[in-house]
Amino acid sequence: MRDNMVRENNTVRPALVSPVGVTGDAVLHSVDFIRPRLRTTRRERVVLHAGVQINGAPHLGTNVLQTSAFLLADAVRERFGVEVSIRFGALDNVPYQSRDCPATGTRYERSYRDALGETGVRELVRRHYGALFDALSAATRVPYAVETYTEQQSAPAFREEFLTSLALMDTLRWVLAPSTGRVPVTLPCPRCGWAQRDADHTELLSAGFQEARYTAVCLDHGPYTADVTPDSGTRIGLTTLHRNLVKERVAAREDALPVIVKGADWAAGCRVVDEAFLHYPGALLPARVLTPVVLFDSGAKLSKTLIREGAAPREAAEPWMLDASLWDGTAEEYAHLLYDLVARMLSAPRHFERGYTLSEVARLIGRRRPAGGSG
């Protein structure tokens, strides 16, 4: 038998080839990283937090992360005997439309939530993820829920943590943005939903633990004032790292142990967020698990944006790898392929905490196209 093939359950399959991990025999399974936190907190429930994108059909890398969340949850339940669930966050505040001020060139953006409404956003989530998540949930017996960012940021706990972060911002801004110290907050116009992308003309007038007041400028409706309180309806847009800090601070309040699941490309971002956590009195760093990422052969993370910009060749991947909606089989077949692929990656930490090129993924799944289809 060739060195790059293995026999599993009487089936010859391509072998995973990964470097020796620095954790060695100290960590035998990737979920063991959360064992110390479970022992310290004595929690009987674990909630894994992961994300979904709604600005287009997901690619293979996105679905690998989400499949990893289901298999990780299953492993947590089996190894630690605790109740598990998954909470997916849908970023409905990502830009749907954009335009520039003709006088200043300032970029204004309108989010998916403002353009499509709650019903439209929910339909996008259902279309892109509903069948896949249902199939993975059935296969692992792990329940899941999808929560939009609009829902998250409207909760009093989120507002309270946001206001607390403002009170610490003199320090946090050099953690969350160590090169510039600038951590902008965007507040969409209450009349039309458009907001300045970089908050160029947004000013914080006052801030306290119960209220913050901002002024901002709308391209169509001029200056406006926005008050943020624990129970106000003002929507707030935060930078990626600031948003994740606040969300993880909220998750830490819950009775269940939160486990943050992100792709391995998030390692540098997690370092920043963890550093920010240390500036809160008595804070305990979040439990984290980093999942495999899918890469172009150049080593760049799989990204449809790179293809659109001409920085990566479209022919580097089969169409369904770039756009899951082009999979020419059933959702159950796609879920089975992902389940099998990720289960093999999860067989050892050295296989899980790494990147896989598209050509390597194609080798591991043993085909370039979905069964019975043209791809």
Side-chain angles (χ1 to χ4, degrees), residues 106 146 168 171 207 241 260-261:
T106 300
V146 178
L168 299 172
T171 299
L241 297 175
I260 312 302
V261 179

Side-chain angles (χ1 to χ4, degrees), residues 16-21 348-352 354 356:
L16 279 74
V17 181
S18 301
V20 175
R350 66 192 180 97
H351 296 321
F352 194 68
R354 53 158 290 189
Y356 289 84

Side-chain angles (χ1 to χ4, degrees), residues 88-100:
F88 289 104
L91 294 178
D92 60 345
N93 63 324
V94 293
Y96 181 83
Q97 299 167 299
S98 63
R99 56 182 176 145
D100 296 333

Side-chain angles (χ1 to χ4, degrees), residues 6 8 13-16 71 339-348 351-352 356 363-365:
V6 296
E8 297 177 2
R13 311 176 69 177
L16 279 74
L71 270 69
Y339 185 104
D340 180 71
L341 175 65
V342 173
R344 297 171 65 199
M345 294 173 172
L346 195 53
S347 62
H351 296 321
F352 194 68
Y356 289 84
R363 185 184 74 86
L364 291 174
I365 64 178

